[in-house]
Amino acid sequence: MKVLILFAHPAFHKSNVNKVMVDGLSATDSVTFHDLYQAYPDFDIDIEREQELLSQHDCVIFHYPFFWYSNPALLKEWQDLVLTHGWAFGSKGNMLKGKLFFTAITAGGPKASYTNDSFNGYTIQQLIAPLLQSAMLCKMITLPPFIVYGTHAIELPEVMKQKRIYSELLRQLAEDEFEVEAALEYEDLNDYITHKMK
Ligand SMILES: Cc1cc2nc3c(=O)[nH]c(=O)nc-3n(C[C@H](O)[C@H](O)[C@H](O)COP(=O)(O)O)c2cc1C
């Protein structure tokens, strides 16, 4: 399976967590790491190139830091321009049909703050509903998110642990060891991979 990581971080030079998470990710042929802010600093997205990239891959990951309970602006612009009617969705828009989709998110808030009765009021799974529903509209198979919580206070050993889990997730996808039905039983892909690694 070929995996496309659409990475969107508007201030990557200031990143602590994602800098570690994505380091070395493009090392395998099966994983394409595509840094959107690097490719399109002026938001001038090459729609044909993006659609061609999507066509060449079987799994699409939106990887980004959580900003205002959502994704950075360039990733929204990318959706608005690239996912066109008749290509990505609509009765004749089948180019993404059957591909896997999930989000890989780093969030400043700890996991305990993302419940319906705590500080942030919603789970991240609830907050990413528009992305999941958009992927559904494009006839993709949506998976639970991969989430690194608590980045405001995270220590390097925990970042390294999450990086190992993410790398293992990508390896399983690339080598067709990933089990979609089993993964759907989990609230996040971190738990699915951790369970499988035991
Ligand atoms: C503009 C902005 C908005 C943010 N909004 C949120 C938010 O809604 N929820 C949250 O948990 N963290 C939020 N954060 C924290 C980032 O998610 C966090 O700094 C990032 O995941 C850390 O990754 P990095 O070290 O790679 O930059 C926000 C940060 C910025 C700069």
Side-chain angles (χ1 to χ4, degrees):
M1 181 175 289
K2 295 205 78 179
V3 180
L4 176 62
I5 301 174
L6 294 174
F7 180 68
H9 194 316
F12 190 52
H13 58 286
K14 291 193 205 157
S15 161
N16 294 316
V17 177
N18 284 289
K19 193 151 268 174
V20 176
M21 294 293 296
V22 306
D23 183 44
L25 276 192
S26 43
T28 78
D29 285 347
S30 308
V31 177
T32 304
F33 179 75
H34 185 31
D35 184 340
L36 291 177
Y37 275 92
Q38 190 182 59
Y40 307 115
D42 302 321
F43 278 50
D44 191 10
I45 294 172
D46 182 340
I47 298 168
E48 269 184 36
R49 176 190 178 202
E50 294 304 308
Q51 291 184 340
E52 181 59 27
L53 263 178
L54 288 168
S55 301
Q56 291 164 359
H57 293 81
D58 313 291
C59 173
V60 180
I61 305 173
F62 283 7
H63 182 149
Y64 56 91
F66 218 32
F67 275 14
W68 289 109
Y69 303 108
S70 181
N71 45 262
L74 181 55
L75 198 50
K76 179 62 166 60
E77 181 76 348
W78 181 96
Q79 291 168 65
D80 295 350
L81 297 180
V82 177
L83 303 178
T84 52
H85 182 259
W87 190 88
F89 71 101
S91 60
K92 291 184 184 145
N94 294 317
M95 296 303 286
L96 300 175
K97 189 174 178 179
K99 295 181 192 285
L100 299 183
F101 172 81
F102 68 92
T103 58
I105 296 171
T106 60
K111 187 168 186 174
S113 70
Y114 279 102
T115 69
N116 294 152
D117 39 33
S118 59
F119 185 74
N120 289 307
Y122 298 88
T123 65
I124 289 187
Q125 286 79 357
Q126 290 168 333
L127 292 164
I128 61 171
L131 293 181
L132 297 181
Q133 184 53 32
S134 299
M136 297 278 278
L137 190 74
C138 297
K139 304 159 195 140
M140 301 178 86
I141 299 164
T142 59
L143 297 170
F146 174 90
I147 309 171
V148 179
Y149 289 101
T151 60
H152 288 322
I154 202 166
E155 306 269 353
L156 187 59
E158 178 60 20
V159 182
M160 293 307 293
K161 181 182 161 194
Q162 294 301 329
K163 181 184 170 73
R164 278 194 296 279
I165 296 171
Y166 193 40
S167 301
E168 172 62 11
L169 169 60
L170 296 173
R171 187 197 67 74
Q172 287 188 19
L173 287 161
E175 297 182 11
D176 294 328
E177 285 177 27
F178 184 83
E179 295 168 52
V180 172
E181 292 303 320
L184 290 172
E185 301 290 318
Y186 291 83
E187 67 177 30
D188 57 54
L189 292 176
N190 314 56
D191 277 357
Y192 164 72
I193 293 293
T194 306
H195 188 255
K196 275 196 90 175
M197 281 165 90
K198 272 182 193 158

